[in-house]
Amino acid sequence: MSQSASIKNIEPTSSSQIKNRFWRRKSVRKTVHAVFVYSLLIGIGILILMPLSWMLTAALRGRGEPVYTLPASWFPTESFHWENFWTILTNKNYPLWRPALNTLMLVVLNIAGVLISNTLVAYAFARLDFPHKEFLFKLVILSMLMPGVVLFIPSFLLFNALGWYGTYLPLWVGAFFGNSFYIFITRQYMRSFPKDLDDAARIDGASRFGIYWRIILPLSKPVMTLMAVFTFMDTWNEFTGPLIYLNDPSKFTLSIALNYFRQSMFSGKEPTTNLVMAAALLSVIPMLILYYFSQEELIGGIASVGLKG
Amino acid sequence: MKKKTFWLITMILLVGLLLVGCQPAEETATPEEADAPAEMEIVTITIWDFGGAEFSYLDEISIPEFEEKFPNIIINHVGVLEDELGLKIETSIAAGEVPDIAIFVPTRVVAAGHVLALDDYMARDGIAREDYCSLFQSGNISNYGQFDDKVTSLPIDSNIWAMVYNKDLFAEAGLPELGTDDYINFETWLEYARAIDQPSENLEDRVWGSNMFIPVFNSQNNYMSSPFALGDDGRSCEGNANNADWMKAWDLMMTAYNEDLTPESAGVWFEDLEEDMFVQGKMGMTYSTLGDAVYARDQGLNAGLTGQPVVTEGWSGNVGGWNNSYSIMAGSEHPDEAWEFLKFLSTEAPLNIPLSSDMLLSDEPGLPGLPCYLPLHEQGRIAELIAEDPLVADSVSLMSHIVPPPFTPDTWTSFDEFWNVFSLVNDEGMTLEEAVNEATAVCQDATDELWEVFDSIGQ
Amino acid sequence: MIERSRKWIFPSLEGQKRREAFQGYLFLLPWIIGFIVFLLIPLGMAAYSAFTRWILIDPPPRWIGLENFRAMFTKDKFFWWSLGITLKFMVMTLIPFMILGLALSLLLNQKLPGMNFFRTVFYIPAVVSGVAVTLLFMNLLHPEFGAINIFLRSLGVADPPNWINSPDWALPAVAFMGLWGIGGGAIIYLAGLQNIPPHLYEAAEIDGANSWQKFWKVTLPLLSPTIFFVLITGIIGSFQVFTPAYILGGVTRFGPGSKYLRFYLLHVYIKGFQQGRLGYASALAWILFFISTIVVFIIYNRTERFVYYEEEGRGSS
């Protein structure tokens, strides 16, 4: 339509008409649109990244240097004390390498538990037939809605009675007993496999467990990856569990270690904000790395969650 | 990407499994165990306090000293966050995994019988209650270690919460020198603060009149009134924390706040930069311990010690006090060994622990006050200090000003709300009277609740 | 022998089917055990303890009937207060965040190159742990020296808020932290947007719809399940704020611990663990459960008719 210039009569056109036609050209509109979108996105992106960059700037400040400056420094331009990261890991007051390893160990245990238990249970729901199957699955869904709040205190009492207070046990044993959300998505995923696979394997004499292990499980790698990534994230960032069950600082996980670090360092003469920021940054980096490698799964997974919602 | 991720996860799993294998090894063997002779049974005693710089003297001085004397006992020093200590003690009791020794055991825990009575041990080893400083003799549990007429904790040190002031700033402002016999009230305090205050736009030249003496934990001047701010029974905020004397004191504090004589007006609470300002000579008066005064003096400041402003005219109790006291938990599996360490800490260790700042908490390990065990005052380093150091001598005499308040389950929780008085006035637009009454009401609720739980223990 | 025991468990099935059923339950075992031990039993304990006086250090629990609930409604000043704080926060953040998240997702849904990159960047805050975020923003929101206030002052704002220490701005400070993580919600909307079949837009264009009409008549209705999902999870989430409240000073004894950040869950924590009143804290937890269920229920009923499912048309059931 904007190419109407060739169809119309040849008449003198005023400058404003020329301008209007300019703006109405689709390609111009598209460019303006793109510029608009990109500038918004870049602007927001900068706003999102600025706090992290401030964190880096503060983390690189040397001992005794003011972390708070006027005007505020968003980029590390003056100080580059990379050794701060080493200091937090190995200082004599409260070295952070131990909490980091503790957390890693918990992550591994949790991932193992999640992958094992949820795939087993989902397989049963997806592929096997047994009485009350529908009812049980409804229970699974129902338990997804259970709020943690109410279980907060009784769980503590339960683990207490088992003698697990002060140990890591409450923080990973649960993973080996299934999680209703993961069961749900895994089952959905497993249901999409053609039933013929199962039947063929059965004819060949495979046991149910064999089918699970040799066929279903390898096919479920994507959803397993998703669960692993989610579990990594949840365990790495978990705060309230370790807060309640751990009291020996040498057992602390990174999240409470950060808080402990901050408060115990604060009682010194010099403010140690730079070290606290370095510690925080260090705790965030593994997550960022994981995120970088697993973006597709993570974001795809969240997306599908929202759709099922 | 998906496959890569999968293998990344698998690798992490493998690495982690290795770690799982390594974990237990960390917790059991310690280097000293290897040195100890094979026949001796190694006992590990766990002691809980706040850790950090404040208690580094344990790690650096006292524990090594003790472990040399007692090679079969290993001390495991665990630092628990101050805010969490009571909670952790309680949950550990519920879980049956108590530490052997713990600091500042909450009063309701003591009342519930989870702490050992130490009288038998004391009698056996020749330690009498009377050997301890006046603070300990008051006989109530909060900090002072006695319940139901039994000794439930032993103090290490005996610390005053007095006022340290900058003699030079005082002299510059034409103010008199204050000593241990001088008593000032809040009117005088305001006068002095005004005289010392030097306003300025930049931080270098700014000098504040004083630190703010709110009746909460940091200044502990809730002792400085008669009746005590919680009443003689320790149960009534109403009528005591908001009586005429206190209202007048608050009014004077508010005036100081509005005239920008104290750093509090900047509304900045964390970073604790205020204490540092005193040492830099930028503040006329502040609350502190002996250790802080000595520290300030060692940094070149001309520091003097005197009492805090009193709320009630003529009241002699112008100094607050506290001690670091540890109890042996009833659930401890090695009470005898725990007692050895506690006894050592209380009756011997302070000889080798230097004085150090409490509020400023410099990196130097040390205690902020003199030992509470009086025989130590006549021995070695301590005796010398008292004889030769005027500040130390002052602290001894100021200690006699302390009038320990009546027992109440938890002073700090009761008085917590008074932190907010200034913001209630400035941000919520209350009048000062309304704000103090509001804080008192919250104080009363908190105190009632504390007593309710305390009274119901053992029912 | 195995055959016989299976026969006993599943009497009505035959041979093969019976074996399958048995194996099925075997696979299901972890979840079944978990459900009983980690859900039913604690739930039962929670129900029981709410009616008892149960002090952490002074067991055993003692039945006191409705006393906890009575005390909660009449004597506990912080009960109503913390409920108020939590609801205030919810109202403050729920709708604005949803709108902003939606706007952001529309932005990300443009057919321009590089959207994936931006999507990645925007999602970063969601993977950062709550503790780290809180510590970071504690520094950024420092009233005197924080970068945010310095920026505000440079814009000419004479008296920037005291943020965490001030009654009016403490909640907004926490909201601000949540705002940083808006990418999380945007991703969910994005998925929903990308699921809308393009032929619907083409059909709309043919009918002469402009962008605005396309949005209202096509995008919104088809996005409504997603929006609904975000709404419900947002409500539930705002009742469960804990970490920022805890770290920013809701709990400290030795400090001005801001009562303006006394979220409900923090209150439960303080009562249950700090003060050791387990029975009372359980009662509090149940009240929270009921309130959040009721809120979700109300919202569900009110808005369900707006949710448009592609197969069924408006307001399915």
Side-chain angles (χ1 to χ4, degrees), chain B residues 351-377:
Chain B
L351 273 178
N352 291 329
I353 306 175
L355 276 177
S356 88
S357 153
D358 175 70
M359 287 299 280
L360 291 171
L361 293 170
S362 67
D363 288 338
E364 299 307 309
L367 286 170
L370 295 173
C372 185
Y373 188 62
L374 296 173
L376 287 180
H377 287 204

Side-chain angles (χ1 to χ4, degrees), chain A residues 38 68 129 131 208 291 302, chain C residues 20 23 25 110 113 120 123 139:
Chain A
Y38 276 124
Y68 303 118
D129 206 18
R208 291 253 143 64
Y291 174 62
I302 296 185
Chain C
E20 186 175 346
Q23 284 177 336
Y25 273 93
Q110 303 302 311
T120 308
Y123 194 68
N139 284 303

Side-chain angles (χ1 to χ4, degrees), chain B residues 162-217:
Chain B
M163 186 169 91
V164 64
Y165 70 100
N166 187 327
K167 288 192 183 178
D168 292 333
L169 285 177
F170 262 58
E172 261 173 54
L175 302 173
E177 220 180 88
L178 296 173
T180 59
D181 292 328
D182 294 301
Y183 289 81
I184 61 170
N185 59 19
F186 270 93
E187 264 161 13
T188 322
W189 170 77
L190 182 63
E191 208 184 290
Y192 288 177
R194 280 182 179 140
I196 300 169
D197 193 72
Q198 290 169 35
S200 165
E201 279 304 306
N202 60 42
L203 201 58
E204 270 97 56
D205 303 327
R206 183 84 173 86
V207 174
W208 277 282
S210 171
N211 215 343
M212 183 60 81
F213 286 83
I214 314 178
V216 291
F217 113 91

Side-chain angles (χ1 to χ4, degrees), chain C residues 228-242:
Chain C
F228 192 63
F229 174 74
V230 173
L231 179 65
I232 302 289
T233 46
I235 293 176
I236 295 182
S238 62
F239 276 109
Q240 302 198 329
V241 175
F242 182 79

Side-chain angles (χ1 to χ4, degrees), chain A residues 242-259:
Chain A
L243 180 69
I244 294 178
Y245 294 110
L246 299 175
N247 53 22
D248 187 346
S250 70
K251 285 210 178 84
F252 280 175
T253 60
L254 260 188
S255 45
I256 36 178
L258 266 184
N259 194 31

